[in-house]
Amino acid sequence: MSEYRLTVLPGDGTGREVTAEARRVIEVFEENSPLSFEITEIPCGGQYFLETGEEWPEGSFEHCRDNSDAILLGAIGWPGARMSNGDVAGGQVILGLRSGLDLYANIRPVKLYHGVQHKVHGEHTNIWNPDLVDMVLIRENTEGLYHSLLRRSAQAAVGAKDEPIVIDKFPGLEGEVSWDPRPISRRGSERVIRFAFELAKRRQNHSQAPQRVTCVDKSNVLRGCRLFRRVFDEVAGEYEDIDTAKAFIDAFTMWLVRDPEDLDVVVLPNMFGDIATDLASVLQGGLGMAASANIGDEHMLFEPVHGSSPKYAGQDKVNPIAAISSVQLMFDNLGVRHDDSDAMLCADILETAISSHLAEGGVVTYDLGGAASTSEVGQAIAERCKALLQEHYASA
Ligand code: IPM
Ligand code: MN
């Protein structure tokens, strides 16, 4: 019997709707497997800020830090919800947690399930063979171009004063200048790159196929990226049976779309990872399918990659699979971290429920060419989970 403390942060817009479906699925696991969760739900985000003047209730950061084995986040961001300094309202939640809990590896799997259609030219088609798209992008999550914003958000989350970064001169520039520093450290690079190699090793055990880690940067022009690549080469030397590749981010975007089968585990600095993962989601059917895990040595947070989609909020319309797949990543990561075979098994069962639902033509939302609602898809996947769990635990 494993009981985990789970903090749920539904956030804004459709984040709330997909989180409800994620919770529906979690409930099925609680009822039909040894897994159990002590759940605390905390309101937060831009909408909450507009209503209350706060991004989340006082003590929320501390609750996430001190009383949570895992955190599940819906989406943050709402039109017009900005802090007085111009930062996104709700940033304390998503960025404050990434930085304040030192969640340095943002894992974004890109896998095309059988039965999922892409929408590239405005029409749903099968362009890629599903077997060719199965990679994991790992975005560095605590520094790079996000560094000062991350720091500001984490300082705000603990009620501390932000220490402003000393501004240099920019010779040759005149008039108003605004800038974001992009520091990349050896320590920050090393831990996320090592994480990528360890993940590749785990995938190797899973599939027996030779695995590869690809380093994506812009080391032909940027100093920070040169450090990132140098550290990549050093770490790679410790993993002799894992193949490596390197690419510059511009060429990588082309490579990603043209030959996705070349890619297995990919590691990228923060902002490149942000951009490349939205692009890569097209290979798996769009952002409605893209799940993520933010992992640190002490804490973990799971979230769909998509935002709050204000346009569709309140319509029971958006795809809940990214949020449900984030629960799958949560089970898997809890399993690995706590050496919990039930959690790992539940991760496999949830994965089977999602893939069989899609492969067998189960109901899907508009983004995948269907007409089902958020809750219909959530319900259908939850029912599959229930059937699989009952089958497994009855025969066990
Ligand atoms: C993401 C999002 C966030 C980011 C925003 C909401 C701050 O785009 O998780 O990819 O830029 O990291
Ligand atoms: Mn993004």
Side-chain angles (χ1 to χ4, degrees):
M1 181 81 188
S2 355
E3 187 177 53
Y4 295 107
R5 296 163 304 167
L6 170 61
T7 301
V8 178
L9 305 167
D12 291 312
T14 57
R16 300 177 181 182
E17 295 161 51
V18 297
T19 302
E21 299 314 311
R23 285 199 65 166
R24 189 202 297 274
V25 167
I26 292 170
E27 208 172 295
V28 168
F29 280 86
E30 291 201 281
E31 284 164 6
N32 299 279
S33 84
L35 273 190
S36 84
F37 292 92
E38 187 195 315
I39 300 182
T40 308
E41 193 167 297
I42 300 179
C44 60
Q47 286 175 287
Y48 185 79
F49 176 78
L50 293 177
E51 286 156 19
T52 65
E54 303 286 337
E55 293 169 89
W56 49 1
E58 210 187 310
S60 300
F61 174 80
E62 289 76 8
H63 180 85
C64 291
R65 185 189 60 200
D66 303 333
N67 296 308
S68 311
D69 297 304
I71 301 161
L72 184 65
L73 173 64
I76 292 294
W78 196 250
R82 290 262 153 203
M83 310 298 291
S84 53
N85 67 359
D87 287 351
V88 59
Q92 226 184 81
V93 182
I94 185 167
L95 301 163
L97 287 171
R98 284 180 187 168
S99 172
L101 302 184
D102 215 13
L103 306 172
Y104 58 83
N106 191 328
I107 309 173
R108 298 184 161 184
V110 180
K111 180 177 160 70
L112 177 57
Y113 287 107
H114 283 263
V116 169
Q117 305 231 312
H118 299 269
K119 197 173 176 192
V120 174
H121 303 290
E123 279 170 34
H124 286 99
T125 50
N126 279 316
I127 298 175
W128 288 278
N129 170 352
D131 299 325
L132 300 183
V133 180
D134 184 5
M135 68 185 91
V136 181
L137 272 51
I138 301 180
R139 163 185 179 186
E140 198 293 317
N141 217 20
T142 57
E143 52 185 55
L145 203 43
Y146 279 70
H147 172 261
S148 48
L149 173 59
L150 283 164
R151 260 198 82 85
R152 276 202 301 282
S153 308
Q155 296 292 86
V158 294
K161 237 178 111 96
D162 179 48
E163 302 159 36
I165 289 160
V166 181
I167 298 181
D168 256 322
K169 291 240 163 47
F170 293 95
L173 297 187
E174 279 167 29
E176 189 177 349
V177 175
S178 198
W179 66 294
D180 301 280
R182 185 175 178 271
I184 290 189
S185 73
R186 165 174 285 277
R187 171 175 172 268
S189 304
E190 185 175 337
R191 61 186 186 174
V192 74
I193 290 166
R194 199 173 291 285
F195 191 97
F197 278 92
E198 288 297 322
L199 182 71
K201 214 158 87 179
R202 224 183 127 215
R203 279 164 69 84
Q204 194 165 36
N205 297 339
H206 236 248
S207 78
Q208 303 306 320
Q211 303 307 142
R212 165 186 289 169
V213 181
T214 302
C215 177
V216 176
D217 55 54
K218 189 73 184 174
S219 53
N220 50 341
V221 294
L222 299 172
R223 285 188 292 201
C225 282
R226 282 205 281 284
L227 175 58
F228 193 79
R229 185 172 283 205
R230 199 156 19 96
V231 173
F232 179 86
D233 287 333
E234 289 170 18
V235 174
E238 297 170 28
Y239 294 86
E240 281 177 355
D241 48 352
I242 295 176
D243 192 16
T244 60
K246 289 174 245 185
F248 301 135
I249 180 65
D250 46 354
F252 175 75
T253 57
M254 177 178 66
W255 185 16
L256 171 69
V257 175
R258 193 193 53 202
D259 306 303
E261 66 276 20
D262 288 351
L263 301 168
D264 173 26
V265 174
V266 180
V267 63
L268 316 90
N270 204 340
M271 179 56 101
F272 294 160
D274 178 46
I275 298 167
T277 53
D278 273 25
L279 172 61
S281 80
V282 177
L283 299 169
Q284 63 186 147
L287 278 173
M289 297 298 290
S292 79
N294 297 255
I295 305 291
D297 292 332
E298 307 288 335
H299 304 277
M300 44 180 98
L301 178 152
F302 303 85
E303 51 172 338
V305 177
H306 62 69
S308 63
S309 30
K311 186 165 109 184
Y312 294 125
Q315 296 177 35
D316 196 20
K317 191 175 159 92
V318 301
N319 190 348
I321 296 181
I324 295 171
S325 290
S326 300
V327 172
Q328 194 275 340
L329 290 173
M330 177 173 86
F331 290 169
D332 188 48
N333 281 279
L334 283 171
V336 171
R337 176 143 307 175
H338 298 275
D339 199 14
D340 176 349
S341 56
D342 284 315
M344 285 190 249
L345 177 75
C346 287
D348 287 346
I349 289 177
L350 181 47
E351 163 92 30
T352 305
I354 296 166
S355 62
S356 64
H357 174 82
L358 293 164
E360 292 165 17
V363 292
V364 290
T365 43
Y366 78 97
D367 53 317
L368 300 183
S373 66
T374 309
S375 45
E376 282 164 347
V377 174
Q379 181 97 45
I381 294 175
E383 273 161 25
R384 268 182 198 264
C385 291
K386 185 171 176 184
L388 288 165
L389 285 165
Q390 289 182 344
E391 198 182 304
H392 177 83
Y393 285 100
S395 62

